[in-house]
Amino acid sequence: MARGKTVCGGLSTLEVTLMVLFVVMTAVSVGLISVMAVHWEDRLQEPEPTVNPTAGPHENPYLIGVGRADCTGPPGDVPLMGYANLEQTAAGIHTRLFSRAFIVDNGSKRVVFVTADIGMVSQRLRLEVLKELEVKYGILYRQDNVILSGTHTHSGLGGYFQYTLFMITSKGYIKPSIKAIVNGIVKSIDIAHRSIKPGRIYMSKGELEESNLNRSPHSYLNNPAEERNKYKSNTDKQVTLLKFTDLDGDGMGMLSWFAVHAVSMNYTNQMVSSDNMGYASYLLEQEKNIGFLPGEGPFVAAFASSNLGDASPNIRGPFCANTGLPCDYLNSSCPIGGLKMCVALGPAGSDMFNNTKIIGENIFKRAKDLYGKARQEVRGPLHAAHQWVNMTDVTVQLNSTHTGRTCKPALGHSFAAGTTDGGGDLNFTQGAVEGDPFWDGIRDALLGAPSNETQDCHQPKPILFSTGEMTWPLPWHPSIVDVQIITIGPVAIVAIPGEMTTMSGRRIREAVKQELEAQGTFSNAEVVVAGLCNIYTHYITTYEEYQIQRYEGASTIYGPHTLSAYIQKFRGLAKAIAEGKEQELPKGPEPPFFKDSQLFSLLPAAAVDKKPINTTFGEVLERVDSEYTVGDVASVTFVAGNPRHSGDIRDKTFVTVEKYHNSTAHWDVVHTDASWETRFHWVKNGAESNATIEWHIPLSAQAGSYRIRHFGHYKQRKGFLETVIMAYEGVSDVFRVSKIKSNY
């Protein structure tokens, strides 16, 4: 926290000011950003040489490593990252979050792709991961050959940003949250590094229907008709998949990309969840890792984000919640209740758990099919190209006579409207191309009016927040942005620093493919758009979509020529790769890395835990029934402590479901809190809290005797000033599960 003159209660002037700003921003931003979107003792041996001594003349010379590690973080009190609903704070676990890493080495170069179950990769997160990797591995893993991507779950933890806007909407910089993610990503790379062995890569691709819907079709229709006519859908249906095997053909892992928002778990959810993409990973990994609990086992299945900017999993479309009638097409609002009543529904209607299950299963089944059919072997050299770019000042050559330029960051009025996946609370609507005197007046009084230059640059966007001109206490938005491409044979992975709409992604793919193939170096290049990579810069729409100023256009922060600037920059990287000159690329201006003392947190320390009189932590408050049938839900409630007191809970669990084996007189763990079948609800009531554990008994469960256990920690006072953290555990009564319902 930056220091300032202390005022009431020992708070600094900066702290008080930030709290006031926090309250104001809460009113304006609830629901706004609806789609924002190892220790030294574990030190590894020196990096392995990048040589494959066993590869014969006809073998694929790749060395391949895969790894997965927990990156969940503290599932209590911390805001969830994605909907910008400051009341949507973590209160338990639906499924744990994991980082999945893939390393490919061809004997002279090495590339890494990581996808993590988080909303997006922030600049701060990437910089901290790279610092950790440098300490461990020197220059082996660097900013040019490591891509970090987020699945875009909106039910992961926030608090891992260093720019003011994102800190305000996630209660600041929360060290336990970012530490868990950094450590999880680094550990997944460590495991992949240790597992490297000779192997092969195969590519497969196909289409997936009934799993995504364009939530801004009006914007999409503003793209040229001749361009739209080249495609049969207004969302990308393509699934692109890489299959990794050892030289014996045994599967090591799978990495796929598909364009859909991970918002099946909606803005009412308060449990940490990997959402639809995470459930797809869960299903495939459980199928491949027989006998292992979730998050364990050698096979790694990753489902990464792509150009999902306007692609929603709520495929039934938007309806007015109070009337059941379709929302207004142009601005996604309802005659009564406005935009808040306009809600898009998933395939199961309003049941977010079933929505997640259905979309996740669809993605899993298509990937499983493509994995089984993958026959096209990926061969060829590896390349990695990276630059830092000042995205506030890029001149774009639009044609032979005209240029355009990017702008200082700014968010438009329709940003405050949110989307049909989660709308805002105030009287903003999508498609606004004029300002509002009331809100503009409040903005001018609190934050200052945008300059004429910025207003002109962003036309026709009416500016709500001129974030590029707001620098207190730190810049509100980034200026320096990563652009990066890695190639594995003919497969080019383009790391997009935000959320690209469907058509933006198509234009990027086409431009990079043309540039790679123009030199004759690449033939039939397969270009993959990887979303939410390396740094978060909101949305990237086409110039034509920007003119409509729906949520995505209003959130394209560098102005109407943002996509053109990215195409220009990625073309430059692709050209350098095709010519073998990526090492000659200028690095560009390095981004800032602010000191911890400059960052602020608005999340107070967790209080001392209290419990009901005459009880103990871990004691059962509500008992299980004595008998259940498969398909039932077993539930038990314990006296609990705040999950934040459990510290680094990666690779641990708050929950086990255990089955008794008569032959061994031993309890075996059959589920943890990483399992889809369990739900850990943490309910806070002042300084007291309860933990309700649900086991949704699957039809595959064996008949027998079971119990549910809960593990946690509580803080208690020791003396006048000192506090201590104590572990506790609780266990339910033993109950029976049968395949058929008892007559009693």
Side-chain angles (χ1 to χ4, degrees):
M1 176 73 70
R3 298 184 180 275
K5 181 180 178 182
T6 59
V7 292
C8 54
L11 296 176
S12 70
T13 305
L14 174 57
E15 288 172 322
V16 172
T17 306
L18 285 171
M19 287 180 181
V20 172
L21 184 56
F22 174 74
V23 171
V24 174
M25 287 295 292
T26 299
V28 178
S29 67
V30 167
L32 301 193
I33 315 174
S34 66
V35 281
M36 275 181 45
V38 230
H39 302 285
W40 282 101
E41 61 266 27
D42 295 325
R43 188 167 178 145
L44 304 174
Q45 61 187 10
E46 289 301 308
E48 303 171 23
T50 59
V51 176
N52 182 353
T54 65
H58 302 295
E59 293 182 341
N60 192 318
Y62 293 138
L63 290 170
I64 299 168
V66 300
R68 175 189 53 249
D70 192 329
C71 63
T72 302
D77 291 333
V78 178
L80 301 183
M81 187 65 200
Y83 293 108
N85 180 349
L86 292 164
E87 296 179 357
Q88 189 190 19
T89 55
I93 294 177
H94 175 224
T95 56
R96 279 187 173 262
L97 312 179
F98 293 95
S99 171
R100 295 172 172 90
F102 299 81
I103 300 175
V104 181
D105 188 310
N106 71 343
S108 60
K109 292 183 180 179
R110 180 173 291 201
V111 294
V112 184
F113 185 88
V114 176
T115 178
D117 292 328
I118 57 176
M120 62 285 291
V121 175
S122 75
Q123 186 175 83
R124 180 70 179 207
L125 177 60
R126 175 168 166 83
L127 293 173
E128 292 206 11
V129 167
L130 290 173
K131 284 176 64 178
E132 292 290 322
L133 292 175
E134 183 178 15
V135 170
K136 287 189 158 203
Y137 300 105
I139 61 170
L140 184 60
Y141 300 118
R142 312 169 302 275
Q143 75 270 7
D144 65 312
N145 70 347
V146 175
I147 292 178
L148 304 181
S149 175
T151 62
H152 206 37
T153 173
H154 284 42
S155 296
L157 300 181
Y160 56 94
F161 293 81
Q162 67 172 9
Y163 292 99
T164 299
L165 177 70
F166 304 130
M167 284 195 282
I168 286 175
T169 55
S170 57
K171 294 187 179 178
Y173 178 76
I174 303 171
K175 270 201 165 183
S177 179
I178 189 169
K179 182 180 178 182
I181 303 171
V182 169
N183 290 349
I185 291 174
V186 171
K187 185 175 180 180
S188 69
I189 295 173
D190 289 340
I191 294 170
H193 178 90
R194 289 198 298 257
S195 73
I196 282 180
K197 59 183 175 181
R200 302 182 187 279
I201 305 175
Y202 302 89
M203 184 180 68
S204 184
K205 57 183 181 179
E207 294 195 343
L208 173 60
E209 299 291 342
E210 298 182 354
S211 297
N212 61 9
L213 178 82
N214 195 306
R215 68 186 186 193
S216 286
H218 182 53
S219 295
Y220 181 88
L221 283 173
N222 208 43
N223 291 308
E226 60 271 20
E227 182 180 37
R228 289 185 281 110
N229 290 339
K230 294 191 296 184
Y231 307 98
K232 64 181 183 180
S233 174
N234 61 4
T235 58
D236 270 337
K237 307 295 183 182
Q238 181 170 299
V239 178
T240 304
L241 180 146
L242 296 180
K243 173 181 179 178
F244 300 87
T245 75
D246 62 20
L247 292 182
D248 294 326
D250 294 328
M252 298 172 63
M254 181 231 65
L255 172 59
S256 75
W257 292 267
F258 178 64
V260 66
H261 258 81
V263 293
S264 293
M265 298 294 290
N266 63 40
Y267 59 87
T268 68
N269 172 54
Q270 289 191 281
M271 289 187 292
V272 170
S273 175
S274 57
D275 212 281
N276 47 43
M277 301 293 264
Y279 185 52
S281 289
Y282 173 85
L283 290 172
L284 189 53
E285 288 181 347
Q286 286 297 98
E287 183 171 295
K288 294 292 185 180
N289 295 320
I290 302 297
F292 288 91
L293 291 169
E296 300 177 2
F299 190 92
V300 177
F303 292 82
S305 60
S306 189
N307 52 322
L308 49 65
D310 49 6
S312 169
N314 295 311
I315 58 176
R316 292 174 63 179
F319 293 86
C320 295
N322 49 1
T323 65
L325 298 174
C327 303
D328 179 89
Y329 175 77
L330 295 180
N331 59 33
S332 298
S333 64
C334 299
I336 301 173
L339 60 91
K340 193 64 177 178
M341 281 292 114
C342 179
V343 179
L345 300 177
S350 59
D351 187 325
M352 61 183 169
F353 297 99
N354 278 338
N355 288 334
T356 302
K357 188 172 188 285
I358 293 168
I359 298 298
E361 281 182 341
N362 290 350
I363 298 169
F364 152 72
K365 289 175 181 177
R366 192 66 180 109
K368 179 183 175 181
D369 177 60
L370 292 172
Y371 181 89
K373 294 177 179 177
R375 298 289 185 271
Q376 181 182 344
E377 187 167 0
V378 175
R379 296 175 178 268
L382 306 179
H383 295 276
H386 172 276
Q387 283 184 306
W388 284 302
V389 176
N390 181 355
M391 276 299 293
T392 70
D393 188 25
V394 178
T395 299
V396 180
Q397 193 67 45
L398 300 175
N399 53 44
S400 59
T401 58
H402 290 78
T403 61
R405 66 182 183 89
T406 56
C407 317
K408 290 181 179 180
L411 292 161
H413 275 246
S414 293
F415 159 80
T419 74
T420 56
D421 291 328
D425 283 323
L426 304 173
N427 62 333
F428 294 93
T429 58
Q430 296 199 63
V433 291
E434 293 183 0
D436 181 287
F438 175 76
W439 291 113
D440 288 348
I442 293 176
R443 174 205 62 204
D444 293 351
L446 287 173
L447 305 170
S451 67
N452 290 335
E453 178 187 7
T454 296
Q455 292 185 73
D456 291 342
C457 189
H458 280 269
Q459 285 292 338
K461 177 195 293 179
I463 294 174
L464 181 62
F465 299 127
S466 184
T467 53
E469 298 174 318
M470 297 157 63
T471 59
W472 184 88
L474 289 169
W476 281 52
H477 265 147
S479 297
I480 310 304
V481 174
D482 296 73
V483 291
Q484 183 181 15
I485 299 175
I486 62 173
T487 64
I488 305 170
V491 180
I493 302 172
V494 182
I496 303 299
E499 304 179 54
M500 276 198 162
T501 59
T502 298
M503 193 62 84
S504 293
R506 288 168 172 169
R507 290 185 189 178
I508 280 281
R509 282 202 297 264
E510 185 175 338
V512 171
K513 181 179 175 66
Q514 287 178 353
E515 204 65 57
L516 289 174
E517 295 178 352
Q519 309 298 321
T521 312
F522 284 75
S523 177
N524 297 319
E526 183 67 33
V527 180
V528 174
V529 168
L532 292 306
C533 292
N534 300 337
I535 179 175
Y536 187 63
T537 62
H538 298 266
Y539 282 75
I540 304 161
T541 60
T542 67
Y543 177 85
E544 294 83 0
E545 291 164 350
Y546 186 92
Q547 307 308 306
I548 303 300
Q549 279 298 296
R550 283 179 63 85
Y551 174 83
E552 295 82 9
S555 304
T556 298
I557 62 174
Y558 299 114
H561 300 299
T562 298
L563 175 61
S564 296
Y566 278 124
I567 289 175
Q568 187 170 288
K569 293 300 178 180
F570 281 115
R571 273 190 177 276
L573 298 186
K575 186 174 189 293
I577 287 173
E579 295 176 348
K581 297 180 179 179
E582 58 263 42
Q583 299 302 318
E584 299 177 17
L585 286 167
K587 289 185 177 181
E590 291 197 22
F593 185 89
F594 300 116
K595 297 178 182 178
D596 284 3
S597 59
Q598 295 177 274
L599 307 175
F600 61 85
S601 175
L602 299 172
L603 179 67
V608 170
D609 290 300
K610 295 183 179 180
K611 56 184 176 56
I613 191 169
N614 297 325
T615 65
T616 59
F617 288 99
E619 183 173 324
V620 174
L621 293 175
E622 296 181 16
R623 299 184 179 280
V624 292
D625 294 341
S626 60
E627 186 172 336
Y628 295 94
T629 305
V630 293
D632 290 343
V633 179
S635 177
V636 57
T637 300
F638 301 91
V639 178
N642 191 320
R644 290 168 64 191
H645 294 148
S646 292
D648 187 351
I649 48 85
R650 294 177 307 119
D651 303 317
K652 300 176 185 176
T653 184
F654 289 100
V655 176
T656 58
V657 177
E658 302 173 1
K659 184 179 186 299
Y660 187 73
H661 284 270
N662 292 319
S663 59
T664 61
H666 188 266
W667 290 96
D668 287 342
V669 176
V670 294
H671 297 291
T672 67
D673 61 12
S675 301
W676 173 264
E677 294 81 1
T678 62
R679 296 177 191 172
F680 163 45
H681 299 272
W682 177 62
V683 181
K684 186 177 181 181
N685 182 18
E688 295 182 5
S689 58
N690 299 334
T692 296
I693 313 300
E694 294 178 357
W695 177 32
H696 292 246
I697 305 172
L699 299 180
S700 59
Q702 297 178 0
S705 297
Y706 290 84
R707 69 183 184 185
I708 297 172
R709 298 175 74 192
H710 166 51
F711 306 88
H713 294 78
Y714 64 92
K715 181 194 287 187
Q716 67 176 13
R717 196 167 296 285
K718 183 180 180 182
F720 181 66
L721 296 175
E722 187 180 357
T723 59
V724 294
I725 304 295
M726 304 292 291
Y728 71 88
E729 61 180 80
V731 59
S732 74
D733 296 331
V734 176
F735 56 93
R736 293 283 303 173
V737 171
S738 58
K739 289 290 189 180
I740 57 174
K741 193 169 288 291
S742 169
N743 292 325
Y744 299 99

